[in-house]
Amino acid sequence: MPLNVQDKKAIVADVGAQLAGAQTVVLAEYRGIPVEQLTKLRASARDQGVYLRVLKNTLARRAAQGTQFEPLADSMVGPLIYGISADPIASAKVLQNFAKTQDLLVIKAGLYNGKLLDVAGVKALATIPSRDELLSQLLGVMLAPVSAMARVLGAVAAQKAAGAPAPAAAPVEAAAPAAVAAEAAPEAAAEPAAAAPEAGTEANETPAAE
């Protein structure tokens, strides 16, 4: 059913509003893709916060006019699906990931941060980790020492619950020499001290070695 003037104005206004808050736009040709596959692609885009829509190129050009995405006008040729995202990576990642499993989706061009991207540029942009992925990786690094400590404490608790023997105390035998010495000390003290030689006399015994 052909669009009337009011429908076209509504589409241009809707797309224009999306472009106003976008950082990246990716164009892809979808010729021959089954409807059920496009439905899956739309669901994936929606989950990633990507505005995905099949547009008449004349309406897309009109919506992009006067915006940073106007340079894409020359690439708006053929049956295209438009991926628009405020996230700088999301639209490129969604379309490129789908293109890996569906040969009929062909990336045509893109624009990020005011710069036109060719097919290689869109693919390179899609390989950059998203903000959520980077935060997840950072959180994993931060929690790694905590996880290791938790595993150690858990193992100790499990051993105690299972009745594992506590660490052995210091051997009792180590204190025995001191006790024997303490018991012998009174006996030694009870024995009379040897008489010291009188002054002027010389002892005949050889002094004990030190």
Side-chain angles (χ1 to χ4, degrees):
M1 181 177 178
L3 298 172
N4 58 39
V5 174
Q6 294 303 320
D7 291 336
K8 292 178 181 179
K9 287 182 178 180
I11 292 173
V12 170
D14 181 37
V15 176
Q18 295 295 327
L19 293 176
Q23 291 194 59
T24 302
V25 172
V26 176
L27 315 182
E29 189 174 285
Y30 68 97
R31 195 191 310 270
I33 297 179
V35 174
E36 61 271 16
Q37 292 294 318
L38 285 177
T39 300
K40 291 181 180 179
L41 174 58
R42 288 191 176 97
S44 175
R46 187 165 51 250
D47 291 342
Q48 299 301 318
V50 176
Y51 178 90
L52 193 72
R53 187 165 184 173
V54 173
L55 291 170
K56 287 185 175 296
N57 296 322
T58 53
L59 299 181
R61 291 191 196 98
R62 193 179 305 171
Q65 191 172 4
T67 73
Q68 63 168 325
F69 301 104
E70 189 171 358
L72 277 172
D74 292 340
S75 300
M76 296 176 182
V77 179
L80 297 179
I81 191 166
Y82 290 73
I84 303 172
S85 64
D87 183 288
I89 301 165
S91 55
K93 191 176 290 290
V94 166
L95 287 169
Q96 174 58 22
N97 286 345
F98 185 80
K100 291 178 181 178
T101 61
Q102 178 53 262
D103 294 338
L104 295 176
L105 185 78
V106 181
I107 303 294
K108 303 298 289 186
L111 190 147
Y112 162 66
N113 198 25
K115 296 180 180 179
L116 283 171
L117 302 175
D118 57 10
V119 177
V122 173
K123 291 181 178 180
L125 185 63
T127 62
I128 299 174
S130 66
R131 178 177 179 274
D132 289 344
E133 290 170 337
L134 289 174
L135 289 176
S136 177
Q137 293 173 9
L138 177 60
L139 184 61
V141 171
M142 293 173 64
L143 291 181
V146 178
S147 299
M149 179 62 70
R151 286 194 296 271
V152 172
L153 294 177
V156 172
Q159 288 179 354
K160 289 184 178 179
V172 177
E173 290 77 3
V180 172
E183 292 176 359
E187 297 178 1
E191 294 177 3
E198 296 181 359
T201 64
E202 295 180 358
N204 294 327
E205 290 89 352
T206 302
E210 293 180 355

